[in-house]
Amino acid sequence: MAPSNWQLIASDNTLAFYQPQLDADNGKEVCQPLLQALEASVLEWQQDADMMTWLIDFEGTRLMLKAAHYTQSVWLEALDEEGDEVITFLRRWWTRHLPL
């Protein structure tokens, strides 16, 4: 089930969320429910001054999960064409599994 406090802000080629609880110090904790909902594993993680970046594995496809605390936004980026297809799938999945 999709976490309830994640507001989808998606366009055709992205999967992006507004996450009001995100700040500079809690990115790992705030993004954990999203990773659990996707059943994705973290391969690498990096924290910069204004952005947190995770290289994740979702069912064999590597994606970038990024979070920017200034805009309280979190989004997935494809690393290749296969990733584009996975993001399209995830966007459809998310809209069908939003909590009531």
Side-chain angles (χ1 to χ4, degrees):
M1 172 82 50
S4 61
N5 61 343
W6 291 76
Q7 180 183 350
L8 184 64
I9 48 175
S11 65
D12 290 342
N13 298 319
T14 64
L15 182 60
F17 304 93
Y18 171 67
Q19 179 35 265
Q21 296 174 333
L22 183 66
D23 65 36
D25 300 319
N26 69 0
K28 282 185 176 180
E29 295 81 19
V30 168
C31 290
Q32 192 60 40
L34 176 62
L35 291 166
Q36 289 174 336
L38 298 176
E39 297 181 15
S41 58
V42 176
L43 304 174
E44 295 179 24
W45 180 81
Q46 178 176 323
Q47 168 108 26
D48 296 317
D50 59 349
M51 185 176 294
M52 294 153 272
T53 307
W54 295 262
L55 175 62
I56 66 169
D57 178 82
F58 173 76
E59 297 186 359
T61 301
R62 291 183 175 201
L63 304 168
M64 296 301 293
L65 174 65
K66 295 186 176 182
H69 63 89
Y70 288 126
T71 59
Q72 294 179 310
S73 58
V74 178
W75 66 97
L76 286 169
E77 292 182 3
L79 298 176
D80 55 27
E81 194 171 308
E82 180 183 355
D84 287 335
E85 293 173 13
V86 168
I87 289 175
T88 298
F89 164 79
L90 288 172
R91 188 175 53 254
R92 287 186 198 134
W93 176 85
W94 192 275
T95 57
R96 283 192 295 250
H97 291 88
L98 283 174
L100 300 176

